Amino acid sequence: PLDPVADIRLVRNGELQAEPVVRLSANLERDSGIFGLAVDPDFATNHYFYVWYAAGPGAPSAPANGATVNRLVRLTLDPDTGG
């Protein structure tokens, strides 16, 4: 079976882009998944955004017992490609 994923997609010029800019291995059961997304106050120059989510068992460095782990990650968006 495939690992559950949570996709983050970009809206460019008012149009939702088909391809995700980020695909996270996430626990999507009950009150899990993506909890929050924030854009850095200096996003125009550093292109950072932050995602708080529940990482699923297939995520890198997930616990061996398959437990869900909440993560806060800083990611960088390439403004030219949207990736």
Side-chain angles (χ1 to χ4, degrees):
L2 297 174
D3 290 329
V5 296
D7 289 339
I8 297 175
R9 293 169 47 191
L10 182 67
V11 175
R12 187 182 296 263
N13 299 322
E15 211 171 296
L16 182 64
Q17 302 300 295
E19 292 298 315
V21 295
V22 176
R23 175 165 276 184
L24 301 169
S25 176
N27 180 341
L28 303 178
E29 296 178 15
R30 299 186 204 155
D31 293 336
S32 295
I34 296 176
F35 300 122
L37 189 143
V39 175
D40 191 276
D42 200 23
F43 180 80
T45 55
N46 66 21
H47 310 293
Y48 294 155
F49 67 103
Y50 305 87
V51 182
W52 177 34
Y53 71 103
S61 70
N65 65 2
T68 297
V69 177
N70 291 337
R71 291 203 172 133
L72 175 63
V73 295
R74 182 182 76 186
L75 304 167
T76 305
L77 179 72
D78 182 327
D80 297 324
T81 65

